[in-house]
Every structure is written in structure tokens, then in C-alpha cells.
């Protein structure tokens, strides 16, 4: 059972990170994203990583 749980967590994490990556590429199309200072972009990307970390923990 633990093996299935590990596989499901890896699949969910991979799906989440794929959406995050393609979302990051699409963010260039939004005007509000261009207005963010560097700290805003860093916090945004850390927020994505935080939820991915919580998903795999």
C-alpha cells in the first residue's frame, strides 16, 4: 500500500509542477505580472514550490 501511495504522490507532484511550469511560461502574457517587482516574482515562485512541497510531504 505504501508503494501505491508513493506513486500517487509522485504523479500528483509531477502534474502540479507541470502546470506550474506552463503557467509560468504563460504569465508573460499578463500585464500585472510585468508590474511585479523582483521580490514579488520570488514570493510567487516560492509559493508554488511551497504547495508542491506540502503535496509531497
Amino acid at each position: 500500500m505504501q508503494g501505491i501511495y508513493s506513486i500517487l504522490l509522485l504523479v500528483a507532484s509531477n502534474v502540479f509542477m507541470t502546470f506550474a511550469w506552463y503557467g509560468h511560461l504563460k504569465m508573460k502574457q499578463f500585464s500585472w505580472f510585468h508590474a511585479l517587482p523582483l521580490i514579488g516574482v520570488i514570493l510567487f515562485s516560492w509559493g508554488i514550490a511551497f504547495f508542491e512541497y506540502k503535496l509531497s510531504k
Side-chain angles (χ1 to χ4, degrees):
M1 186 64 180
Q2 188 175 6
I4 292 173
Y5 182 68
S6 297
I7 290 171
L8 289 175
L9 281 176
L10 284 172
V11 168
S13 176
N14 190 12
V15 167
F16 185 81
M17 288 309 292
T18 300
F19 278 115
W21 174 250
Y22 285 117
H24 177 263
L25 293 176
K26 288 296 214 176
M27 284 292 195
K28 294 179 181 178
Q29 296 176 353
F30 298 115
S31 62
W32 64 268
F33 192 70
H34 286 291
L36 282 178
L38 179 60
I39 190 69
V41 174
I42 291 170
L43 291 175
F44 186 78
S45 63
W46 282 4
I48 292 172
F50 173 76
F51 287 113
E52 191 271 335
Y53 170 75
K54 285 304 214 180
L55 183 66
S56 64
K57 187 145 172 109

Coordinates of all heavy atoms in Angstrom, one line a residue:
M1 N 0.8 -1.2 0.0 CA 0.0 0.0 0.0 C 0.9 1.3 0.0 O 0.5 2.3 -0.6 CB -0.9 0.0 1.2 CG -1.9 1.1 1.3 SD -3.1 0.9 -0.1 CE -4.1 2.3 0.1
Q2 N 2.0 1.2 0.7 CA 2.9 2.4 0.8 C 3.5 2.7 -0.6 O 3.7 3.8 -0.9 CB 4.0 2.2 1.8 CG 4.8 3.4 2.0 CD 5.8 3.2 3.1 OE1 6.0 2.1 3.6 NE2 6.5 4.3 3.5
G3 N 3.7 1.6 -1.4 CA 4.2 1.8 -2.8 C 3.2 2.6 -3.6 O 3.6 3.5 -4.4
I4 N 2.0 2.2 -3.5 CA 0.9 2.9 -4.3 C 0.8 4.4 -3.9 O 0.7 5.3 -4.7 CB -0.4 2.2 -4.2 CG1 -0.3 0.8 -4.9 CG2 -1.6 3.0 -4.8 CD1 -1.5 -0.1 -4.6
Y5 N 0.9 4.6 -2.6 CA 0.8 5.9 -2.0 C 2.0 6.8 -2.6 O 1.8 7.9 -3.0 CB 0.8 5.9 -0.5 CG 0.7 7.2 0.2 CD1 -0.4 7.9 0.1 CD2 1.8 7.7 0.9 CE1 -0.6 9.2 0.7 CE2 1.7 9.0 1.5 CZ 0.5 9.7 1.5 OH 0.4 10.9 2.1
S6 N 3.2 6.2 -2.6 CA 4.3 6.9 -3.1 C 4.2 7.3 -4.6 O 4.5 8.4 -5.0 CB 5.6 6.1 -2.9 OG 5.9 5.9 -1.5
I7 N 3.7 6.3 -5.4 CA 3.5 6.5 -6.8 C 2.5 7.6 -7.0 O 2.6 8.5 -7.9 CB 3.1 5.2 -7.5 CG1 4.3 4.3 -7.5 CG2 2.6 5.5 -8.9 CD1 4.0 2.9 -8.0
L8 N 1.4 7.6 -6.3 CA 0.3 8.6 -6.4 C 0.9 10.0 -6.1 O 0.5 11.0 -6.7 CB -0.9 8.3 -5.6 CG -1.7 7.1 -6.1 CD1 -2.8 6.8 -5.1 CD2 -2.3 7.4 -7.4
L9 N 1.7 10.1 -5.0 CA 2.3 11.4 -4.6 C 3.2 11.9 -5.7 O 3.2 13.1 -6.0 CB 3.0 11.3 -3.3 CG 2.1 11.3 -2.1 CD1 3.0 11.1 -0.8 CD2 1.4 12.6 -2.0
L10 N 4.0 11.0 -6.3 CA 4.9 11.4 -7.4 C 4.1 11.9 -8.6 O 4.5 12.9 -9.2 CB 5.8 10.2 -7.7 CG 7.0 10.0 -6.8 CD1 7.7 8.7 -7.1 CD2 7.9 11.1 -6.7
V11 N 3.1 11.2 -9.0 CA 2.3 11.6 -10.1 C 1.6 12.9 -9.8 O 1.6 13.8 -10.7 CB 1.2 10.5 -10.4 CG1 0.2 11.0 -11.4 CG2 1.9 9.2 -11.0
A12 N 1.0 13.1 -8.6 CA 0.4 14.4 -8.3 C 1.4 15.5 -8.3 O 1.1 16.6 -8.8 CB -0.3 14.2 -6.9
S13 N 2.6 15.3 -7.8 CA 3.6 16.3 -7.7 C 4.1 16.6 -9.1 O 4.2 17.8 -9.5 CB 4.8 15.8 -6.9 OG 5.8 16.7 -6.9
N14 N 4.2 15.6 -10.0 CA 4.6 15.9 -11.4 C 3.6 16.7 -12.1 O 3.9 17.6 -12.9 CB 4.9 14.6 -12.1 CG 5.5 14.8 -13.4 OD1 6.0 15.8 -13.8 ND2 5.6 13.7 -14.2
V15 N 2.3 16.4 -11.9 CA 1.2 17.1 -12.6 C 1.2 18.5 -12.1 O 1.1 19.5 -12.9 CB -0.1 16.4 -12.3 CG1 -1.3 17.3 -12.7 CG2 -0.2 15.1 -13.1
F16 N 1.3 18.7 -10.8 CA 1.3 20.1 -10.3 C 2.5 20.9 -10.8 O 2.3 22.1 -11.2 CB 1.4 20.0 -8.7 CG 1.3 21.3 -8.1 CD1 0.0 21.9 -7.9 CD2 2.4 22.0 -7.6 CE1 -0.1 23.1 -7.3 CE2 2.3 23.2 -7.0 CZ 1.0 23.8 -6.8
M17 N 3.7 20.3 -10.8 CA 4.8 21.1 -11.3 C 4.8 21.3 -12.8 O 5.2 22.4 -13.3 CB 6.1 20.3 -11.0 CG 6.4 20.4 -9.5 SD 6.4 22.1 -8.8 CE 7.8 22.8 -9.5
T18 N 4.1 20.4 -13.6 CA 3.9 20.7 -15.0 C 3.0 21.9 -15.2 O 3.3 22.8 -16.0 CB 3.4 19.4 -15.7 OG1 4.3 18.4 -15.5 CG2 3.1 19.7 -17.2
F19 N 1.9 21.9 -14.5 CA 1.0 23.1 -14.6 C 1.7 24.4 -14.1 O 1.5 25.4 -14.7 CB -0.3 22.9 -13.7 CG -1.3 22.0 -14.5 CD1 -1.6 20.8 -14.0 CD2 -1.9 22.5 -15.6 CE1 -2.6 20.0 -14.6 CE2 -2.8 21.7 -16.3 CZ -3.2 20.5 -15.8
A20 N 2.5 24.3 -13.1 CA 3.3 25.4 -12.6 C 4.2 25.9 -13.6 O 4.4 27.1 -13.9 CB 4.0 25.1 -11.3
W21 N 4.9 25.0 -14.3 CA 5.9 25.4 -15.3 C 5.2 26.1 -16.5 O 5.6 27.1 -17.0 CB 6.7 24.2 -15.8 CG 7.6 24.5 -16.9 CD1 7.5 24.1 -18.2 CD2 8.8 25.3 -16.9 NE1 8.5 24.6 -19.0 CE2 9.3 25.4 -18.2 CE3 9.4 26.1 -15.9 CZ2 10.4 26.1 -18.5 CZ3 10.6 26.8 -16.2 CH2 11.0 26.8 -17.5
Y22 N 4.2 25.4 -17.0 CA 3.5 26.0 -18.2 C 2.7 27.3 -17.8 O 2.6 28.2 -18.6 CB 2.5 25.0 -18.8 CG 3.2 24.0 -19.6 CD1 3.2 22.7 -19.3 CD2 4.0 24.4 -20.7 CE1 3.8 21.7 -20.0 CE2 4.6 23.4 -21.5 CZ 4.6 22.1 -21.1 OH 5.3 21.2 -21.8
G23 N 2.3 27.4 -16.5 CA 1.7 28.6 -16.0 C 2.7 29.7 -16.0 O 2.4 30.9 -16.3
H24 N 3.9 29.4 -15.6 CA 5.0 30.4 -15.5 C 5.3 30.9 -16.9 O 5.5 32.1 -17.1 CB 6.2 29.7 -14.9 CG 7.4 30.6 -14.9 ND1 8.4 30.6 -15.8 CD2 7.8 31.6 -14.0 CE1 9.3 31.5 -15.6 NE2 9.0 32.1 -14.4
L25 N 5.3 30.0 -17.9 CA 5.5 30.5 -19.3 C 4.4 31.4 -19.8 O 4.6 32.3 -20.5 CB 5.7 29.3 -20.2 CG 6.9 28.4 -20.0 CD1 6.9 27.2 -20.9 CD2 8.2 29.2 -20.1
K26 N 3.2 31.1 -19.4 CA 2.0 31.9 -19.8 C 1.9 33.2 -19.1 O 1.2 34.1 -19.5 CB 0.7 31.1 -19.6 CG 0.5 29.9 -20.6 CD 0.4 30.5 -22.0 CE -0.5 29.7 -22.8 NZ -0.7 30.2 -24.1
M27 N 2.6 33.3 -17.9 CA 2.5 34.5 -17.1 C 3.0 35.7 -17.8 O 2.6 36.9 -17.5 CB 3.2 34.4 -15.8 CG 2.6 33.6 -14.8 SD 1.1 34.4 -14.2 CE 0.7 33.5 -12.8
K28 N 3.9 35.5 -18.8 CA 4.4 36.7 -19.5 C 3.3 37.4 -20.3 O 3.5 38.5 -20.7 CB 5.5 36.2 -20.5 CG 6.7 35.6 -19.8 CD 7.7 35.1 -20.8 CE 8.9 34.6 -20.0 NZ 9.9 34.0 -20.9
Q29 N 2.2 36.8 -20.5 CA 1.1 37.4 -21.3 C 0.3 38.3 -20.4 O -0.5 39.1 -21.0 CB 0.2 36.3 -21.9 CG 0.9 35.5 -22.9 CD 0.1 34.3 -23.4 OE1 -1.0 34.1 -23.0 NE2 0.5 33.6 -24.4
F30 N 0.4 38.3 -19.1 CA -0.4 39.1 -18.3 C 0.3 40.3 -17.9 O 1.5 40.3 -17.5 CB -0.8 38.3 -17.0 CG -1.6 37.1 -17.3 CD1 -1.1 35.8 -17.0 CD2 -2.9 37.2 -17.8 CE1 -1.9 34.7 -17.3 CE2 -3.6 36.1 -18.1 CZ -3.1 34.8 -17.8
S31 N -0.4 41.5 -18.0 CA 0.2 42.8 -17.7 C 0.6 42.9 -16.2 O 1.6 43.6 -15.9 CB -0.6 43.9 -18.2 OG -1.9 43.9 -17.5
W32 N -0.2 42.4 -15.3 CA 0.0 42.6 -13.9 C 1.3 41.8 -13.5 O 2.0 42.2 -12.5 CB -1.1 42.1 -13.0 CG -1.4 40.6 -13.1 CD1 -2.3 40.0 -14.0 CD2 -0.9 39.6 -12.4 NE1 -2.3 38.7 -13.8 CE2 -1.4 38.4 -12.8 CE3 0.1 39.5 -11.3 CZ2 -1.1 37.1 -12.3 CZ3 0.4 38.3 -10.8 CH2 -0.2 37.1 -11.3
F33 N 1.7 40.8 -14.2 CA 2.9 40.1 -13.8 C 4.1 40.9 -14.2 O 5.1 40.8 -13.5 CB 2.9 38.7 -14.6 CG 4.0 37.8 -14.1 CD1 3.9 37.2 -12.8 CD2 5.1 37.4 -14.8 CE1 4.8 36.3 -12.3 CE2 6.0 36.6 -14.4 CZ 5.9 36.0 -13.1
H34 N 4.1 41.7 -15.3 CA 5.2 42.5 -15.6 C 5.4 43.6 -14.6 O 6.5 44.2 -14.5 CB 5.0 43.1 -17.0 CG 5.2 42.1 -18.1 ND1 6.4 41.6 -18.4 CD2 4.3 41.6 -19.0 CE1 6.3 40.8 -19.4 NE2 5.0 40.7 -19.8
A35 N 4.4 44.0 -13.9 CA 4.4 45.1 -13.0 C 5.0 44.7 -11.6 O 5.3 45.5 -10.8 CB 3.1 45.7 -12.8
L36 N 5.1 43.4 -11.4 CA 5.7 42.9 -10.1 C 7.1 43.2 -10.0 O 7.9 43.0 -10.9 CB 5.5 41.4 -10.0 CG 4.1 40.8 -9.7 CD1 4.1 39.3 -9.6 CD2 3.6 41.3 -8.3
P37 N 7.6 43.6 -8.8 CA 9.0 43.8 -8.6 C 9.6 42.4 -8.4 O 8.9 41.4 -8.3 CB 9.1 44.6 -7.3 CG 7.8 44.3 -6.6 CD 6.8 44.1 -7.7
L38 N 10.9 42.4 -8.3 CA 11.6 41.1 -8.2 C 11.2 40.3 -7.0 O 11.0 39.1 -7.1 CB 13.1 41.3 -8.2 CG 14.0 40.1 -8.0 CD1 13.8 39.1 -9.2 CD2 15.5 40.5 -7.9
I39 N 11.0 41.0 -5.9 CA 10.6 40.3 -4.6 C 9.2 39.6 -4.8 O 8.9 38.6 -4.3 CB 10.6 41.2 -3.4 CG1 10.4 40.4 -2.1 CG2 9.6 42.3 -3.5 CD1 11.5 39.5 -1.8
G40 N 8.3 40.3 -5.6 CA 7.0 39.7 -5.9 C 7.1 38.4 -6.7 O 6.4 37.4 -6.5
V41 N 8.0 38.4 -7.7 CA 8.2 37.2 -8.5 C 8.8 36.1 -7.7 O 8.4 34.9 -7.8 CB 9.1 37.6 -9.7 CG1 9.5 36.3 -10.5 CG2 8.4 38.6 -10.6
I42 N 9.7 36.5 -6.8 CA 10.4 35.4 -6.0 C 9.3 34.8 -5.0 O 9.2 33.6 -4.9 CB 11.5 36.1 -5.2 CG1 12.7 36.4 -6.1 CG2 12.0 35.1 -4.0 CD1 13.8 37.2 -5.5
L43 N 8.5 35.7 -4.4 CA 7.5 35.1 -3.5 C 6.5 34.3 -4.2 O 6.0 33.3 -3.7 CB 6.8 36.3 -2.7 CG 7.7 37.0 -1.7 CD1 7.0 38.2 -1.2 CD2 8.1 36.1 -0.6
F44 N 6.1 34.7 -5.4 CA 5.2 33.9 -6.3 C 5.7 32.6 -6.6 O 5.0 31.5 -6.4 CB 4.9 34.7 -7.6 CG 3.8 34.1 -8.4 CD1 2.5 34.2 -8.1 CD2 4.2 33.4 -9.5 CE1 1.5 33.7 -8.9 CE2 3.2 32.8 -10.3 CZ 1.9 32.9 -10.0
S45 N 7.0 32.5 -7.0 CA 7.6 31.2 -7.3 C 7.8 30.3 -6.0 O 7.6 29.1 -6.1 CB 8.9 31.4 -8.0 OG 9.8 32.0 -7.2
W46 N 8.1 31.0 -4.9 CA 8.3 30.2 -3.7 C 6.9 29.7 -3.2 O 6.8 28.6 -2.6 CB 8.9 31.1 -2.6 CG 10.4 31.2 -2.7 CD1 11.2 30.7 -3.7 CD2 11.2 31.9 -1.8 NE1 12.5 31.1 -3.4 CE2 12.5 31.8 -2.3 CE3 11.0 32.6 -0.6 CZ2 13.6 32.4 -1.6 CZ3 12.1 33.2 0.0 CH2 13.4 33.1 -0.5
G47 N 5.9 30.4 -3.5 CA 4.5 30.0 -3.2 C 4.1 28.7 -3.9 O 3.6 27.8 -3.4
I48 N 4.5 28.7 -5.2 CA 4.3 27.5 -6.0 C 5.0 26.3 -5.4 O 4.5 25.2 -5.3 CB 4.6 27.7 -7.5 CG1 3.6 28.7 -8.1 CG2 4.6 26.4 -8.3 CD1 4.0 29.2 -9.5
A49 N 6.3 26.5 -5.1 CA 7.1 25.5 -4.6 C 6.6 25.0 -3.2 O 6.7 23.8 -2.9 CB 8.6 26.0 -4.4
F50 N 6.1 25.9 -2.4 CA 5.6 25.6 -1.1 C 4.4 24.6 -1.2 O 4.4 23.6 -0.5 CB 5.1 26.8 -0.3 CG 4.4 26.5 1.0 CD1 5.2 26.2 2.1 CD2 3.1 26.7 1.1 CE1 4.5 25.9 3.3 CE2 2.4 26.4 2.3 CZ 3.1 26.0 3.4
F51 N 3.5 24.9 -2.1 CA 2.3 24.0 -2.3 C 2.8 22.6 -2.8 O 2.2 21.6 -2.5 CB 1.2 24.6 -3.1 CG 0.5 25.7 -2.4 CD1 0.6 27.0 -2.8 CD2 -0.3 25.4 -1.3 CE1 0.0 28.0 -2.1 CE2 -0.9 26.4 -0.6 CZ -0.8 27.7 -1.0
E52 N 3.8 22.6 -3.7 CA 4.3 21.3 -4.2 C 4.9 20.6 -3.1 O 4.8 19.3 -3.0 CB 5.3 21.6 -5.4 CG 5.6 20.4 -6.1 CD 6.8 19.7 -5.6 OE1 7.7 20.3 -4.9 OE2 6.9 18.4 -5.8
Y53 N 5.7 21.2 -2.2 CA 6.3 20.6 -1.1 C 5.3 20.0 -0.2 O 5.4 18.9 0.3 CB 7.2 21.6 -0.4 CG 7.7 21.1 1.0 CD1 8.8 20.2 1.0 CD2 7.2 21.6 2.2 CE1 9.2 19.7 2.2 CE2 7.7 21.1 3.4 CZ 8.7 20.2 3.4 OH 9.2 19.7 4.6
K54 N 4.2 20.7 0.1 CA 3.2 20.3 1.0 C 2.5 19.1 0.4 O 2.0 18.2 1.1 CB 2.2 21.4 1.3 CG 2.7 22.4 2.3 CD 3.1 21.7 3.5 CE 2.9 22.5 4.7 NZ 3.3 21.8 6.0
L55 N 2.3 19.0 -0.9 CA 1.7 17.9 -1.6 C 2.5 16.7 -1.5 O 2.0 15.6 -1.3 CB 1.5 18.3 -3.1 CG 0.8 17.2 -3.9 CD1 -0.7 17.1 -3.5 CD2 0.8 17.6 -5.4
S56 N 3.8 16.8 -1.5 CA 4.7 15.6 -1.5 C 5.1 15.2 -0.1 O 5.7 14.1 0.1 CB 5.9 15.8 -2.3 OG 6.7 16.8 -1.7
K57 N 4.7 16.0 0.9 CA 5.2 15.6 2.3 C 4.2 14.7 2.9 O 3.1 14.5 2.9 CB 5.2 16.9 3.1 CG 5.8 16.7 4.5 CD 6.6 17.9 4.9 CE 7.0 17.7 6.3 NZ 8.3 17.5 6.6

